[in-house]
Amino acid sequence: MFALLDAYRAGLLRRPHWLSNIVAGLIVGVVALPLAMAFAIASGVKPEQGIYTAIIAGIIVSLFGGSRVQIAGPTGAFIVILAGIVAKYGVDGLQIATLMAGVILLLFGVARLGAVIKFIPAPVIAGFTAGIGVVIWVGQWKDFFGLPAVGGEHFHQKLWNLLQALPQLDWATTALACIALLLVIFASRIPRLARVPGPLVALVVVTLIQAIFHFDSVATIGSTYGEIPRGLPTWAFPAVTLSRLVELIGPAFAIAMLGAIESLLSAVVADGMAGTRHNSNQELIGQGLANIVAPLFGGIAATGAIARTATNIRNGGTSPIAGIVHALTLVVVLLFLAPLAANIPLACLAAILFIVAWNMSELRHVVKMVKRAPRADVAILLVTFGLTVFADLVVAVNIGVVLAMLHFMRRMAESVVVRQQNGVDLDKELAREGLHHLPAGVLVYAVDGPFFFAAVGAFERALADTHTDPRVLIIRLGHVPFIDATGLQTLEEVVLGLQARGVRVVLTEANSRVYHKLRKMGLLEKLGPGNFTETLSELVAALLHAEAGSAPATPDAGKS
């Protein structure tokens, strides 16, 4: 359901709700302004492109997303990916990759993959977000300290070069950056500024200082990028070619996956704060549309912004009206106040990103997980973190998810128990059905757990423990919820091998799902008539009758 339609049905678009949502939208718009410019600059594009993104994504996601309180725009999570794309493929490459990512997100939503993406393991998310925080923090040293440009293809090379360049810091730039950092952190504790967002206070104060004293060594938006254009962006379709699409499919998929994870995390946080319930598939559709349209108007990749969404909710936002007002606030700033941005020091934006990096890292949460989580989860977190910092975010997420899946499969395989049932347990069970004992020469094995490829080894090892071939081997499948192709193949090989040695194999108690797979595989036919029953008691009764020499033909208790 569209967020706007959901809000309409909930009665949140009526006049009594207007004021609170307008106020929330204005506050979020003010918060979004410095962040949008900072994220754009850190991503390697012009500051106005961040504002364009916040406007376009803010409106589209508010109208077509799956959460009625979600605020979308450029975010810190994208900085690492986008900066890498710009460095390798240029700004036009970034726009094409973002457009492609929008299409991928749209397809994710249409294919109803929202529920799947939400279940990315927590250690993987903690690992890559902490890694992104570290990369953003180190990446802002240059502007924070006024350092000369340094090279380095990899993180450790860039870090070493920055450390060597630290003695060359510019004192005026560093002083302004420290003032901005202190204001972002402590402005909320100043009585008259308590309700003004810290980033805005820092932006205004530090910009005024620079406008008054005009420190020549301090880099500003105006000195680095020129004046921000006053007015709305124009439409322009990037030059798309087949070769360009092929080389950018990897970056596009990375943007799409990170955008999906970030937006759905933000929607989940919003649900917890506002008591709402988002539609994950519709959220992906809304994010897809935003990322298709944004690059056509000079924007960059966008997703749900957790901090801005939380600010929206805390200030009374309950409907898409707040998200739309947030975007319109940025439009007003762009139309009337854009020239004033020329004096904004890059050091101020770097200080704001320092706080963003700290919040993204969630250091306390990561330390808690490292101390208390199972060792395998800690290893996955640390591997994901290390790969994010020293290799590549896409590689980190892919390997982290693969490791988490392998760990899960190992745990699932360990949970599968294949055991031989002894006479005492079976005698009690059979006695309830009026049967006195298990016939001679009969062994019973029970399989508990999913019979899938990772559990095959346990099944084979259990059967290998049978030192002498029984006359009849019964395999109970009553506690097998499902069986996959590898399990079916292994079961077939075991059955045929035992039959070749003269052992009769009987399967019993399979649920309807497993039964139909056995029949479709042709295994029931290979078992032969009478070698599948619905209950163990029915089978034992038939065997006892046969042992007594008065057995009727054993029925094939198949399922319809």
Side-chain angles (χ1 to χ4, degrees):
M1 183 187 298
F2 293 161
L4 192 64
L5 181 58
D6 183 34
Y8 173 77
R9 291 182 176 178
L12 296 173
L13 301 184
R14 295 173 183 168
R15 190 181 297 273
H17 298 280
W18 287 6
L19 181 59
S20 61
N21 282 281
I22 290 172
V23 170
L26 289 170
I27 293 172
V28 176
V30 169
V31 172
L33 178 63
L35 293 176
M37 291 189 292
F39 293 146
I41 292 171
S43 299
V45 299
K46 296 180 178 180
E48 61 264 26
Q49 291 182 265
I51 301 176
Y52 299 158
T53 306
I55 293 170
I56 295 166
I59 292 175
I60 292 178
V61 172
S62 293
L63 293 175
F64 302 110
S67 171
R68 59 182 182 236
V69 292
Q70 179 85 284
I71 302 295
T75 66
F78 276 137
I79 289 175
V80 178
I81 292 180
L82 302 192
I85 295 173
V86 171
K88 187 173 183 179
Y89 303 103
V91 176
D92 59 333
L94 172 60
Q95 291 178 324
I96 295 171
T98 302
L99 197 154
M100 293 169 64
V103 174
I104 294 171
L105 283 167
L106 192 63
L107 293 176
F108 281 172
V110 172
R112 307 185 69 80
L113 295 179
V116 176
I117 294 171
K118 279 196 300 186
F119 297 126
I120 300 292
V124 177
I125 294 174
F128 82 71
T129 52
I132 290 172
V134 170
V135 174
I136 293 174
W137 176 59
V138 173
Q140 294 306 305
W141 286 10
K142 174 184 173 296
D143 290 335
F144 190 93
F145 297 108
L147 302 176
V150 298
E153 182 180 354
H154 301 290
F155 175 82
H156 64 280
Q157 296 170 332
K158 187 176 292 185
L159 176 60
W160 177 247
N161 292 336
L162 284 169
L163 289 172
Q164 288 182 314
L166 274 179
Q168 304 176 51
L169 64 82
D170 179 71
W171 288 104
T173 301
T174 305
L176 289 178
C178 290
I179 292 171
L181 187 62
L182 292 173
L183 287 172
V184 173
I185 297 172
F186 297 110
S188 60
R189 302 183 187 181
I190 301 173
R192 294 189 179 182
L193 297 177
R195 294 188 61 83
V196 182
L200 180 64
V201 175
L203 193 72
V204 172
V205 171
V206 175
T207 301
L208 283 174
I209 294 174
Q210 173 61 21
I212 293 170
F213 293 99
H214 294 289
F215 298 109
D216 293 332
S217 60
V218 173
T220 64
I221 287 179
S223 66
T224 308
Y225 300 97
E227 187 175 290
I228 293 180
R230 181 186 294 180
L232 298 177
T234 56
W235 183 89
F237 197 85
V240 178
T241 62
L242 181 59
S243 60
R244 203 77 163 137
L245 293 176
V246 171
E247 69 178 358
L248 288 169
I249 186 63
F253 195 81
I255 293 173
M257 283 302 299
L258 187 57
I261 294 169
E262 188 80 2
S263 63
L264 295 179
L265 279 176
S266 179
V268 169
V269 171
D271 286 347
M273 294 182 66
T276 56
R277 184 176 180 181
H278 77 279
N279 182 323
S280 57
N281 296 312
Q282 187 60 48
E283 181 63 25
L284 293 181
I285 291 173
Q287 297 291 343
L289 291 173
N291 282 282
I292 290 173
V293 177
L296 301 180
F297 290 90
I300 58 176
T303 186
I306 296 176
R308 276 160 277 171
T309 299
T311 301
N312 178 37
I313 296 168
R314 291 194 195 102
N315 287 279
T318 59
S319 77
I321 292 175
I324 295 170
V325 170
H326 134 267
L328 295 179
T329 302
L330 293 174
V331 171
V332 172
V333 170
L334 200 60
L335 292 177
F336 300 104
L337 303 177
L340 300 178
N343 287 318
I344 296 176
L346 298 185
C348 177
L349 300 180
I352 293 171
L353 287 178
F354 268 25
I355 302 302
V356 170
W358 170 259
N359 292 334
M360 282 195 67
S361 67
E362 293 188 306
L363 183 60
R364 293 179 183 175
H365 176 63
V366 170
V367 170
K368 182 179 178 181
M369 287 190 70
V370 169
K371 287 182 177 179
R372 301 183 181 181
R375 286 180 296 177
D377 290 329
V378 173
I380 292 169
L381 187 156
L382 295 177
V383 168
T384 306
F385 172 82
L387 289 173
T388 300
V389 174
F390 295 104
D392 179 78
L393 176 62
V394 181
V395 172
V397 174
N398 288 341
I399 291 180
V401 170
V402 169
L403 289 176
M405 290 173 62
L406 291 174
H407 174 57
F408 172 76
M409 286 188 290
R410 183 177 68 85
R411 296 295 300 273
M412 287 289 290
E414 290 174 351
S415 70
V416 177
V417 178
V418 183
R419 68 184 189 280
Q420 181 180 346
Q421 294 189 305
N422 59 43
V424 176
D425 293 335
L426 284 174
D427 287 346
K428 291 179 180 178
E429 183 179 343
L430 294 173
R432 292 194 294 268
E433 301 294 333
L435 301 171
H436 302 295
H437 66 279
L438 192 68
V442 177
L443 287 182
V444 179
Y445 278 87
V447 183
D448 294 337
F451 202 150
F452 71 118
F453 64 91
V456 164
F459 181 72
E460 292 176 331
R461 285 192 299 272
L463 293 182
D465 291 338
T466 305
H467 301 294
T468 58
D469 288 341
R471 179 170 59 87
V472 180
L473 179 69
I474 300 172
I475 300 176
R476 305 182 71 178
L477 303 175
H479 295 289
V480 176
F482 68 85
I483 186 168
D484 72 353
T486 306
L488 287 166
Q489 182 177 335
T490 301
L491 187 57
E492 180 180 356
E493 291 172 356
V494 168
V495 167
L496 294 178
L498 290 169
Q499 287 177 339
R501 301 203 303 265
V503 178
R504 179 186 175 190
V505 182
V506 186
L507 304 182
T508 185
E509 300 177 333
N511 63 39
S512 59
R513 195 153 132 205
V514 173
Y515 170 81
H516 286 299
K517 289 186 177 181
L518 293 172
R519 187 175 66 177
K520 186 175 181 181
M521 189 73 174
L523 188 54
L524 296 184
E525 184 179 344
K526 292 174 182 175
L527 283 170
N531 290 329
F532 177 84
T533 61
E534 289 190 357
T535 64
L536 178 66
S537 59
E538 177 186 355
L539 173 60
V540 172
L543 292 173
L544 288 171
H545 281 304
E547 187 177 54
S550 59
T554 306
D556 185 8
K559 299 184 180 182
S560 57

